[in-house]
Amino acid sequence: MSSAVLSSEFFVSDEHPMYVQRWGPTASSLRVVLIHGGVHTGVCWTTRPDGQPGCAQYLAEQGWTAFVVDWPGVGRSAGTGTLLQSRAEHVVSALVALVRDIGPTLLIGHSFGAAIAAKVMDVAPKHVTGLISIAPAPHGNIAGDRGRAPIPSDQAITFDESAMLRFFCSAPRFPKDSIDQYRRSLCSMSPGVFNAAASGNGSRDLVIEDFAGIASIPKLVVAGDNDQLVTHERSSAVAESLGAPHISVGKDWGLSGFGHMIPIESGSEEILKRCLAWFANAGKATR
C-alpha cells in the first residue's frame, strides 16, 4: 500500500478558480504539477481504475511535492464556471497563478493537458523548471487538421462507448477489468478548449509566442506505441516544434503495450522513473 498521503486541498486563481490537491512533503524543492487531459479530471493522476495508487503517490514517494489539478469548469472545479463558456485561456491563467504561487516547478501534462502545459511554460517561463508532455495534443503553433470545422460553442465534447474503447482502452496495458469504473470517471469537455488545440478555431489561447524564451527549459515528449488517438506523426510534430527529444516508449525504452492513457496503464511508474532521470540529467546540463 502507498505511504504517500494527500497533504492539502485548496483553490487557486480568483477569476477562474481551480481545485488543487497537494501530495507529499510540503517543503520539498522538487515540485511537479500534473495536468490532466480532455474529458478527464485529476483523478487520472491519483487513482487507477483498478484501485491502485496513481502517479501522484509515486512521485510523492520519490520525494516530490505533486500538485494535481482539475481544470476550471471541470470536475471538482465545476462549480466555479460554466463548462461551455470555459476556454483554454482560463485553464492557462489558473495554472500560471498556481506556478507563481508555489515556485519554480516541473510540469507534466497529458494529452490536451500537455498543450496547456506548453502554453503555461510560454507565459511563465521563470516559474517552470521543465516540461514533460505525455501523448500530447498539438499546441496552437501546429497546423493540425485545418479542414476540420470548429466544434460549435454550445456543444460539449464527450466520448461515446465505442470511441472510449477505441481511443482510451484498447492498449494491452490498460486495466480492462476496470473499464466500468473508468467510464464513470469521464466527463464533458469544453468546446473552447478543444478548438484551441492546433488553433482549430483561430484561437491563440495555446499558441506559443516566445520560443526563444523557453529554449533553455528542458522539454521531453513521450508517446505510447499503441496510442490510437495521438499518432506517432502528431507527437513527433509536437516534439519538433518544442525542440524536444521524442521518446516512443516501446521502441526507445523497451516498454511495450502503452497507449494513450499512460498515466493509468499498468507499469507507468517505470515511464515516470525514466522521465525523472532524464529531467535530472537535463537540468544539470542547463545549469
Side-chain angles (χ1 to χ4, degrees), residues 75-261:
R76 290 153 292 191
S77 302
T80 67
T82 302
L83 179 70
L84 292 177
Q85 295 175 342
S86 180
R87 294 177 49 187
E89 177 188 17
H90 303 160
V91 186
V92 170
S93 66
L95 283 161
V96 168
L98 175 61
V99 301
R100 287 176 173 164
D101 183 51
I102 66 177
T105 184
L106 172 65
L107 302 178
I108 300 181
H110 173 244
S111 194
F112 271 88
I116 290 168
K119 182 59 180 178
V120 173
M121 175 179 61
D122 178 47
V123 174
K126 293 182 180 179
H127 297 274
V128 176
T129 58
L131 170 68
I132 296 173
S133 297
I134 299 175
H139 47 270
N141 308 76
I142 298 173
D145 184 3
R146 295 298 192 191
R148 174 181 63 80
I151 299 297
S153 61
D154 62 349
Q155 181 178 323
I157 309 300
T158 59
F159 276 69
D160 61 22
E161 182 82 4
S162 61
M164 179 194 76
L165 293 174
R166 175 187 175 189
F167 293 118
F168 297 152
C169 307
S170 59
R173 289 183 183 259
F174 188 90
K176 293 182 174 57
D177 290 342
S178 304
I179 284 179
D180 287 342
Q181 181 64 30
Y182 172 69
R183 181 190 298 107
R184 299 183 191 106
S185 74
L186 299 182
C187 60
S188 298
M189 178 181 177
S190 157
V193 177
F194 182 88
N195 287 328
S199 296
N201 60 349
S203 164
R204 296 192 65 82
D205 285 357
L206 296 180
V207 171
I208 296 175
E209 304 286 357
D210 185 10
F211 281 99
I214 63 173
S216 64
I217 298 174
K219 297 172 284 289
L220 181 68
V221 172
V222 176
D225 296 288
N226 295 90
D227 194 334
Q228 301 300 309
L229 187 60
V230 175
T231 64
H232 177 84
E233 289 73 22
R234 288 182 180 179
S235 58
S236 294
V238 172
E240 182 178 1
S241 177
L242 292 173
H246 180 271
I247 297 295
S248 181
V249 297
K251 177 182 177 182
D252 298 319
W253 286 348
L255 301 173
S256 61
F258 284 97
H260 187 68
M261 293 307 302

